[in-house]
Each structure stands twice: as C-alpha cells, then as structure tokens.
Amino acid sequence: MLSVSDAERLIFDAVRPLHPERNTEVVNLLDATGRILAASVSSKLDFPHWDNSAMDGYAVRFDDVKACSDSEPTILDVIEEIPAGTPPQKTLQPGQTARILTGSMMPEGADTVVMQENTRREGDSVAVLVPPEKPGQFVRRCGSFYQAGNPLIEGGVRLQAADIAVLAAAQATKVRVFRKPRVAILSTGSELVSPEDHLQPGQIVDSNQYALASFLAALGMEPLRVGIVEDNPETLKYSIAEALNWGDVVVSTGGVSVGDYDYIDRILEQLGGDLLVRSVAIKPGKPLTFAQFPKQRALYFGLPGNPVSALVSCWRFVKPALLKLAGLHRGWEPVFVNAKTRVELRSGGGRETYLWGQLLATETGLEFEIPGGSFSSGNLINLMQTNGCARLPVGTKRVEIGETVSVLWVDTPVSHLG
C-alpha cells in the first residue's frame, strides 16, 4: 500500500499534457471561456492605443500651469472639446488648453491633464487653480500597459472573463485552445440500477455516473457515460477495452477492492496496462487503481464504488491529473490552505485522512467545519455543498477546536460567513 505522496508522484509523473500541435482547435472568442489556451497570443496594438486622459478635465502644457495657485490662477484659452472616441483637431500652443474627458485622446502639444475639480470655467477660458504635481499627471501613455508584438497572454492558462476582455480589446476574435480531453466513465456492479429504474430490494442507485459526469464537465473535460457494467469478467473486459480506445482517460467506480467480484486490476493487466497504483494509505479511498496504457496512450483510474470515496479520490488525485493532461501549465496541482477548525476532528491515525466539509471566509481568516449528522463515507447526504476536505496526516488522531488544519480546496469560491 502506497503513501499518499508516493501515489501522487506516480500518478502526476505519468501524466503527459496534450500535444500543443496535434491536440488543438481554433474557436470563436465567445466560445473560449474556460478553455485552455494552447499558444501564446500577441497583439499588433499598443495598450493604450494612444496617449489618453485618465480624468475628466483639461489637457494642458505643464510649463503653463506649474506655478499657478488659487490666489494666482493660470488662465488658459479653451480651443476645443475632445469627446471620447473623437480624435483631437488642433495642436495646443502656449496659453491654450482643450476640454478632455476620461479616455479621450490627448491633443498634440499637451503633456498633462488637470482634473476639472481644480479648475474654474469662465466662458471660452478656464482658470487652473491647483498646479499638477508633475508632468504627465493623469495621462495614460501609449504602450505603457502593453507594447505591440510582445506576448499578451501565455499559452497554458484557462481563459476567464478578464482574459476574454483583453483578447477582445486586442481584436483576437479567434483563439487556438487545447481540445477537451475525452474521459470515459463506467460504473461496475450487478447491484446497480439507473436513477430512472424502479428500485428493487438490495439494489443501489448508481449516483457515481452523474457525480463524475458533473465533475468532469465542470473541469472542462468531454465525458462519455459508458453506463453500468455488470460483474462479469468478459463483459467488463470488452467495455474497458472499448473505453480505452475512445478516451484519453477512463474512470471506473467499483471492482478495485479484494472481493470475489473485484476484477478490474486483473482485466487491466490482461489488456496490457501498467499498474502503477493498486491501493493507497488514505481514508476514504484506500482501494485506488491507476494504470497507464502505452499502446492506446490512455490512463485509467479505478475508484472505489462508495460514492463518497470516489469523489474524495477525484478531488485528491483525478482532478489535478486531468488539469495537467488538459494543458494547464500552472495551478493544476492540489491546493491546500490553512484554516481554523470549528469542530473537533478525529482520525484513526493509521492512514492520511480526509474529512469533508466547508471552508468559510471570516473577518479573521478561513475556518472549517464538517456537516452534522452521521459522518461516515457511507453517508452521501452530508457530502452536499462540500468545498474543502481537512487533511489529517498519518499519526494525527485529533485536532482540537480552534487549531489550524490543512484543508484541500475542493471548489471555489469560498463560502462567505454572513
């Protein structure tokens, strides 16, 4: 049985990101949200595109107004007004100014903006009452944010709203992104039935297909629901072989423990899989299988059938592996944060233990609490709204109320404490 750190290393080292040339596609910018950029993007435009005003006020020559005061204001002739989106028509000469609005292009001859609160308008002239602190005050210089030709956004990042805004401003209406990794999902177990079926005594509703499909879609993957596969070696072997031929990754639940009907590890070896992980010293989620298939260039995760254990395994191992595979350069690793626990946390101490619950943002920092009711891996109900899992290392049996605990950040944003 491997330690969590050893299992993590073996899994993450085996993951190779999608090839940036063979596994990309070009999409419209409005379809790129959440996608991972495959190549750096540059722009032919400077940002700002031209010198412009950061304030509503007056474009001036610094030398004209540097010595003014409230008692001895500088009087300037207003020669034009420059609305946003309209280029200036005149060049400022000594003693002249132009009315300018935020974002408007600076006129030739002007090097500074005086905010309107520091002026007094008098017909076709304006009195400047407060001198600017330095030349160039309230002027955004052309190219001061970004210079044309340089990388604007590096490849390997997940595109978010702010990134889309920058690309739109750069007139990059199409971008090259990594294709979505294909992930096949199958549930093993003759006792399983679909949520649409009538439940008979002794049967179990297969919630794992739905949980994993949702989990994968939220990560930006392309899930394929293979469905329920009965505990029959030949049927399982056929279904897994088909899934390996289709998917970059196959994720199954059930059949990886040591029971009479747990066939997964044996089948993976028969299909040519290199089994790197068979079990991990983690709770929940001890029976975890990970294999790589060089021929199909595919990876396989065999998760426990217990829905709680399956999701904890996904958060701890599958999520970072898939994000690395998808081409994310940074930020694919598991994220742990420190939080004060609101409740006493307990563990047997023999395995690295993960207790699911909620991270809460308070005025004094992050806090963590576990749900009420029966707290066990068999209780799927209290897994709802989980956004963090407290990690208790091997040998730690108790964390007292108010003590700091390391928490695996499962989801964002952090809940806000009202």
Side-chain angles (χ1 to χ4, degrees):
M1 185 164 57
L2 296 171
S3 68
V4 172
S5 59
D6 284 344
E8 177 185 71
R9 176 180 54 79
L10 287 169
I11 293 170
F12 296 165
D13 285 351
V15 176
R16 296 289 179 267
L18 295 175
H19 196 280
E21 295 178 3
R22 296 194 299 267
N23 294 283
T24 63
E25 58 185 354
V26 176
V27 299
N28 292 324
L29 187 58
L30 286 175
D31 297 323
T33 303
R35 302 296 297 272
I36 297 176
L37 195 63
S40 298
V41 176
S42 299
S43 175
K44 298 178 180 179
L45 302 172
D46 290 318
F47 285 79
H49 309 323
W50 47 74
D51 291 355
N52 70 89
S53 176
M55 286 284 178
D56 290 346
Y58 293 87
V60 300
R61 290 160 36 95
F62 177 78
D63 287 343
D64 285 347
V65 297
K66 62 183 180 181
C68 69
S69 66
D70 188 57
S71 59
E72 295 186 20
T74 297
I75 308 300
L76 301 173
D77 294 330
V78 181
I79 61 170
E80 71 171 326
E81 181 170 326
I82 310 171
T86 301
Q89 302 300 311
K90 299 180 179 180
T91 299
L92 256 64
Q93 302 298 331
Q96 295 180 335
T97 184
R99 171 67 171 153
I100 198 166
L101 302 177
T102 302
S104 295
M105 190 174 180
M106 290 288 290
E108 291 290 329
D111 59 12
T112 303
V113 171
V114 176
M115 66 170 59
Q116 64 185 25
E117 292 87 345
N118 293 337
T119 65
R120 184 175 62 247
R121 186 67 181 260
E122 300 172 349
D124 291 335
S125 63
V126 65
V128 180
L129 310 174
V130 179
E133 295 178 1
K134 58 183 178 179
Q137 185 165 308
F138 302 131
V139 176
R140 305 184 187 115
R141 293 297 182 191
C142 176
S144 60
F145 301 160
Y146 165 83
Q147 295 180 347
N150 292 320
L152 182 63
I153 301 181
E154 297 288 346
V157 301
R158 185 186 292 277
L159 295 173
Q160 301 174 347
D163 308 316
I164 299 297
V166 170
L167 290 168
Q171 297 184 311
T173 58
K174 295 181 181 295
V175 291
R176 182 168 292 279
V177 297
F178 285 102
R179 67 168 175 83
K180 295 182 178 182
R182 298 183 293 269
V183 185
I185 315 163
L186 56 97
S187 301
T188 72
S190 300
E191 76 280 11
L192 299 177
V193 295
S194 167
E196 295 85 5
D197 294 336
H198 181 69
L199 190 64
Q200 300 291 337
Q203 293 182 329
I204 299 174
V205 176
D206 176 25
S207 61
N208 285 335
Q209 287 273 321
Y210 287 76
L212 294 181
S214 174
F215 164 79
L216 293 168
L219 287 183
M221 308 296 135
E222 181 182 344
L224 171 69
R225 292 175 53 203
V226 175
I228 298 169
V229 183
E230 63 181 6
D231 291 321
N232 177 286
E234 292 305 314
T235 304
L236 275 171
K237 187 175 181 180
Y238 175 81
S239 298
I240 291 172
E242 288 294 300
L244 286 169
N245 288 330
W246 179 85
D248 301 294
V249 179
V250 178
V251 181
S252 68
T253 55
V256 291
S257 191
V258 292
D260 292 342
Y261 299 99
D262 293 326
Y263 304 118
I264 296 295
D265 286 5
R266 186 193 322 164
I267 290 171
L268 297 182
E269 289 178 331
Q270 292 173 356
L271 291 172
D274 180 13
L275 272 67
L276 302 180
V277 177
R278 294 176 184 264
S279 66
V280 183
I282 188 174
K283 184 178 181 180
K286 174 184 172 183
L288 172 70
T289 292
F290 174 73
Q292 55 184 358
F293 287 79
K295 181 179 178 180
Q296 294 91 342
R297 297 182 180 178
L299 302 173
Y300 192 101
F301 284 94
L303 309 182
N306 182 307
V308 174
S309 301
L311 275 174
V312 172
S313 299
C314 279
W315 295 328
R316 185 62 182 86
F317 300 110
V318 181
K319 177 181 178 179
L322 290 179
L323 291 177
K324 182 180 179 182
L325 173 71
L328 196 64
H329 284 185
R330 295 183 301 274
W332 57 263
E333 302 91 343
V335 175
F336 288 89
V337 296
N338 290 328
K340 289 184 178 180
T341 179
R342 292 181 165 189
V343 294
E344 181 183 81
L345 304 175
R346 293 187 178 185
S347 164
R351 288 180 276 163
E352 186 166 302
T353 300
Y354 288 76
L355 304 175
W356 53 95
Q358 283 200 322
L359 275 169
L360 303 160
T362 74
E363 293 181 354
T364 58
L366 292 176
E367 296 182 3
F368 178 79
E369 66 179 7
I370 60 176
S374 172
F375 192 84
S376 72
S377 61
N379 185 2
L380 179 61
I381 301 302
N382 70 4
L383 196 67
M384 290 189 295
Q385 295 298 299
T386 292
N387 69 353
C389 292
R391 174 177 60 179
L392 276 61
V394 174
T396 298
K397 295 185 176 181
R398 179 179 298 182
V399 179
E400 302 291 346
I401 295 175
E403 290 185 346
T404 299
V405 64
S406 175
V407 181
L408 173 65
W409 200 338
V410 168
D411 199 7
T412 54
V414 177
S415 300
H416 179 69
L417 178 64

